[in-house]
Amino acid sequence: MSSSSKKPKLQKIALLLAGAGLGVALSLSFNAVADKDAGGNPLPVEELRAFSTVFGLIKQSYVEPVEDKKLITEAIKGMVSGLDPHSSYLDADAFKDMQIQTQGEFGGLGIEVSMEDGLVRVVSPIEDTPAYRAGVKAGDFIAKIDETPVQGMSLNDAVTKMRGKIGTSVTLTMLRKGEGKPIVISLKRAVIKVQSVKSKLAEPGYGYIRVAQFQEHTTENVAQALEALYKENKAPLKGVVLDLRNDPGGLLNGAVGVSAAFLPKDTLVVYTEGRTPDSKIRLTASKENYLRESGKDDYFKNTPKEVKTVPLVILVNGGSASASEIVAGALQDHKRAIVVGTQTFGKASVQTIMPIDNKTALKLTTARYFTPLGRSIQLKGITPDIEVEEATLNGKEQSAFRIREADLGHRLDNPNEKDAGKAASEPKAIIKAQKPKTVASETAEENPRELASKNDYQLQQALNILKVQQILQNKAVAAPAK
């Protein structure tokens, strides 16, 4: 990653993850790993002496011989994981997997995960993957992988155990709120190819764009989707629904690019604040901040100009995290979209990927991010303008028990609100969702691959909101001038 001043700013900010399970991430070009303010602070000699003593006692007295490399590696993991839920040491396998995932294709089950209370928690199943099709839900806790209890494993070890040769099977024993006994699911490992963007005309005149995860090509895929929707509709769209539900995040430049699709050029999308100068950045809706390569044409070069003003609704829920929250927060702050759904995950910290060598790296929390109006959504999440709960089915909630950032141990506080996360802000309006029992055999839940389903209650409410906006706009145009 070049540090030349001629390179676009985002190329100085290497593109990495902004997800809940893997963390919001920017890979910043640090001139030095050490804190520049730490020069006058001596090393903690007494604490290092204690570490050396423990190391020696283990080497001398542990029941079995232990390699030095293993002891030091585990010490590093413990040191980093004790900081917050999103900092971690990436060994060779974890570092490689992280790089592969941003490209949209990797091997495994298709689950975004984090660690909580010694168990692996599902942040979100990835669409069209073995886990998604088997019914794994956000909020599930994985207690056993095959016959091995997860308690006591590191997150990286658990992820490694869930991965394996394509076509082989793995059995997950899961705990789910509301279920009286563990749920056992057998899954067959597969190559996970995540289609970042899907779209269709939900109805004539109304476009629907689903972003499942922010990847390398998400921005250009959204641009292509918008062009295709306008072409298919054969007329300017009356409204667009941008669906970010259960989107755990992804690449930061993807979040900036998707926001830029609907915002005027150079509008502020997000900014970050940290201790070092490199962690203080401002990202605007300009191509330099989302193009993957400098010198290329803007992805939105051929996008209809009406996209900048088309009525827009963003759908979110408790599985919408990090990059998703950046998009929702930016468009909400600029009053460019109406945010509909339920409270989002609430993660607003920035992790920097710091390579240790060519195989391993440190993922370290280095900054907090803020929406354009200076809001930190850490612990709090994005409060929808209109709350629309997920539909019920035969009296049971379809959505899984949600654990949010505020529920995690060692999490960062919100710098703006001391009590953030204790209670969600009140939405401006609430629409309660209640479906009749007769829809049990025809819900979109039973056909999770159906896009823009007529039985998707939250989506239908989003379309109704757009239609009301259209009616109000038509009345305003038709009203005689005074």
Side-chain angles (χ1 to χ4, degrees), residues 272-305:
T272 67
E273 294 286 348
R275 292 173 61 198
T276 66
D278 289 320
S279 65
K280 297 176 174 65
I281 59 173
R282 295 173 67 86
L283 296 175
T284 60
S286 56
K287 67 178 183 179
E288 292 78 13
N289 290 329
Y290 55 78
L291 287 182
R292 289 183 294 110
E293 298 179 40
S294 61
K296 297 291 184 179
D297 287 338
D298 193 342
Y299 301 135
F300 302 108
K301 178 181 179 181
N302 298 318
T303 302
K305 62 180 181 180

Side-chain angles (χ1 to χ4, degrees), residues 355-411:
I356 297 172
D357 51 39
N358 61 354
K359 292 184 178 180
T360 63
L362 181 65
K363 184 178 69 166
L364 188 67
T365 299
T366 56
R368 292 178 169 91
Y369 76 74
F370 298 84
T371 71
L373 293 182
R375 291 188 293 158
S376 171
I377 56 90
Q378 175 68 11
L379 309 183
K380 182 178 180 180
I382 297 292
T383 300
D385 299 304
I386 301 175
E387 182 180 317
V388 179
E389 296 178 351
E390 296 181 50
T392 60
L393 177 61
N394 291 333
K396 295 182 179 180
E397 290 188 6
Q398 289 185 12
S399 60
F401 171 56
R402 296 285 188 193
I403 292 180
R404 302 171 61 244
E405 179 79 4
D407 301 311
L408 302 180
H410 307 295
R411 74 284 190 281

Side-chain angles (χ1 to χ4, degrees), residues 65-289:
V66 186
E67 293 182 356
D68 291 349
K69 181 178 180 180
K70 175 177 174 58
L71 282 176
I72 294 173
T73 297
E74 294 302 323
I76 293 172
K77 288 180 180 179
M79 177 170 58
V80 178
S81 64
L83 298 173
D84 63 71
H86 308 294
S87 294
S88 63
Y89 170 71
L90 303 177
D91 60 20
D93 290 336
F95 191 26
K96 182 179 179 180
D97 288 339
M98 182 202 66
Q99 294 170 313
I100 292 172
Q101 285 187 43
T102 65
Q103 299 169 5
E105 180 175 327
F106 55 96
L109 304 177
I111 315 174
E112 292 278 352
V113 294
S114 65
M115 185 67 80
E116 176 67 14
D117 294 332
L119 297 177
V120 174
R121 180 182 60 82
V122 177
V123 174
S124 181
I126 300 171
E127 289 185 6
D128 298 335
T129 64
Y132 185 80
R133 290 189 287 268
V136 176
K137 294 183 178 295
D140 286 346
F141 283 91
I142 300 173
K144 290 173 62 176
I145 303 171
D146 289 327
E147 296 302 317
T148 306
V150 170
Q151 192 81 33
M153 283 189 190
S154 70
L155 182 60
N156 286 341
D157 288 343
V159 170
T160 298
K161 192 167 182 61
M162 284 189 283
R163 294 194 175 117
K165 187 177 180 181
I166 303 302
T168 60
S169 295
V170 61
T171 299
L172 302 182
T173 301
M174 300 184 301
L175 307 177
R176 181 177 298 167
K177 186 176 181 180
E179 297 291 340
K181 58 182 180 180
I183 299 169
V184 180
I185 297 178
S186 180
L187 301 171
K188 185 172 289 188
R189 298 180 177 95
V191 174
I192 307 301
K193 296 182 179 180
V194 181
Q195 185 176 346
S196 174
V197 178
K198 299 178 182 179
S199 64
K200 69 178 292 186
L201 284 178
E203 294 181 10
Y206 293 93
Y208 171 83
I209 298 177
R210 164 73 181 146
V211 180
Q213 194 175 30
F214 290 86
Q215 301 172 354
E216 286 186 357
H217 299 280
T218 296
T219 301
E220 58 194 290
N221 290 160
V222 166
Q224 293 163 358
L226 286 166
E227 293 175 34
L229 288 170
Y230 272 85
K231 183 176 181 181
E232 182 181 354
N233 195 56
K234 299 179 181 178
L237 293 173
K238 299 175 183 178
V240 171
V241 176
L242 178 62
D243 189 353
L244 301 180
R245 291 174 297 177
N246 296 317
D247 182 332
L251 296 180
L252 180 67
N253 69 323
V256 174
V258 172
S259 301
F262 304 99
L263 291 172
K265 188 177 185 297
D266 297 328
T267 301
L268 180 63
V269 174
V270 64
Y271 69 92
T272 67
E273 294 286 348
R275 292 173 61 198
T276 66
D278 289 320
S279 65
K280 297 176 174 65
I281 59 173
R282 295 173 67 86
L283 296 175
T284 60
S286 56
K287 67 178 183 179
E288 292 78 13
N289 290 329

Side-chain angles (χ1 to χ4, degrees), residues 390-468:
E390 296 181 50
T392 60
L393 177 61
N394 291 333
K396 295 182 179 180
E397 290 188 6
Q398 289 185 12
S399 60
F401 171 56
R402 296 285 188 193
I403 292 180
R404 302 171 61 244
E405 179 79 4
D407 301 311
L408 302 180
H410 307 295
R411 74 284 190 281
L412 295 180
D413 292 330
N414 186 304
N416 296 348
E417 299 182 45
K418 183 178 180 181
D419 295 329
K422 290 185 177 180
S425 301
E426 289 296 323
K428 296 177 183 177
I430 299 176
I431 299 175
K432 295 293 184 181
Q434 181 67 44
K435 298 286 277 184
K437 293 182 180 181
T438 53
V439 302
S441 63
E442 56 184 21
T443 60
E445 183 73 12
E446 292 189 1
N447 184 13
R449 305 184 77 174
E450 184 178 353
L451 190 66
S453 168
K454 298 293 184 183
N455 297 304
D456 184 337
Y457 185 80
Q458 289 176 315
L459 172 58
Q460 295 308 312
Q461 292 301 323
L463 291 171
N464 289 339
I465 291 166
L466 287 173
K467 291 172 184 176
V468 170

